[in-house]
Amino acid sequence: MSSRSLPTDQQVWKQVQTVARKRKDAGKPIRTLSTGVANMIVDVEDAKIWRRSSQSRSQGPSAISRGQVLKAWSAVVEQGWAETKGSTVFVFALLVEALPKLLESRGNAVLLRPTVDYRALARTNTAAARNPKWARDELILALDLYLRSEGCAMAKSDRRILELSRQLGALPVHGDRPDAERFRNANGVYMKLMNFRRFDERFASGGAGLKKGGKAEERVWDDFASEPYKLRAMAEAIVAGHALVSERVDEDEDEYAEGKVLYRLHRRYERSAKLVRDAKRRALAKHGRLACECCDFDFSEVYGALGEGYIEAHHRVPVSQMSGKKKAKVEDLAMVCANCHRMLHRSKPLMSVEALRERVLGRRSKK
């Protein structure tokens, strides 16, 4: 089996059946991963494999279905790894035995071997290509649901998980979705919720939650887990505002504390020609010049006629705090230089113009 492509579901099931028949004929057990519990194969049917575990000799044989095997296989392919627990322990042991060139086991986890060429895989087997990592917007919505459900594990068929899956599918934050059918499906949403549970002190003693996850989840947890009402407002704003923004990518949006959707809404206000023009007039009337409200930089003083009348506009109010307002007001805009504007956008949590000015002037006074 080539490591440059993944087998079809039918090929996976046939390979698993072959391994099970060989073990049955040889009278050799298949041992579960990490625990080493012996399982004797009793029978191999078209759609089921029957086994008897050494831990339950008093009971009759139990069956695993073709669907269980393929579901476990899909879980590994979808994110590159899967946790083995409960009834899946024996299923994953079978898969590792049947697909040694593609799978390896590490404790309670099964991983796709790193030798798999994912770029070639994306070209030759679109259905198994990996979807993009979760964006901050998506993690904000997922954490919001996790906190509202108080960390309780929900069934993958729960209407709340299905609704979040639908919302994630509608967000304009990923242009490329190699595996559109599985993109943010109910299984993926459920697993992401369980990724958050590993940070939850309420479940620390029980060892619950999926241990493997990304740094992005930890950052979102640290930023918002202690402020559920602020998080709820942000999640509602993302859901309400995503249809108003385009899929055009801005180089700064990945750093924005409230995610890509609210960044794009935020920039819409800042790029309103009439609003910015009125804000500049207001600043000139009040101060007699256009200087940065954070650092006092004046483009005309440095660049002469070239910088005359130039300055950027920063929308002071985070979109999530606009309480349903559809339009920004002139007084919502601050006049800032490009450098300070970038610093305001990349601050987490979002910093006010006044706070950044205090920081800038404070550093100047120490020189």
Side-chain angles (χ1 to χ4, degrees), residues 188-223:
V189 171
Y190 170 82
M191 295 181 79
K192 189 56 62 179
L193 296 180
M194 291 301 99
N195 282 144
F196 280 122
R197 197 190 251 196
R198 74 188 193 273
F199 307 120
D200 197 331
E201 293 181 356
R202 294 173 295 181
F203 301 97
S205 60
L210 296 179
K211 300 301 180 185
K212 289 205 171 186
K215 286 288 185 182
E217 291 129 35
E218 186 173 3
R219 287 193 289 269
V220 170
W221 177 273
D222 290 343
D223 289 344

Side-chain angles (χ1 to χ4, degrees), residues 269-293 299-300 306-314 329-337 341:
Y269 296 129
E270 295 178 346
R271 288 169 176 156
S272 168
K274 183 180 185 306
L275 199 63
V276 172
R277 186 168 57 249
D278 291 345
K280 285 183 177 180
R281 288 173 180 166
R282 185 171 182 265
L284 280 170
K286 184 176 181 180
H287 304 292
R289 64 179 189 141
L290 292 178
C292 177
E293 294 182 32
F299 283 88
S300 64
L306 181 63
E308 193 71 39
Y310 181 81
I311 199 159
E312 295 189 4
H314 170 69
K329 299 178 180 178
V330 171
E331 53 266 32
D332 292 335
L333 294 185
M335 300 291 98
V336 293
C337 69
H341 203 182

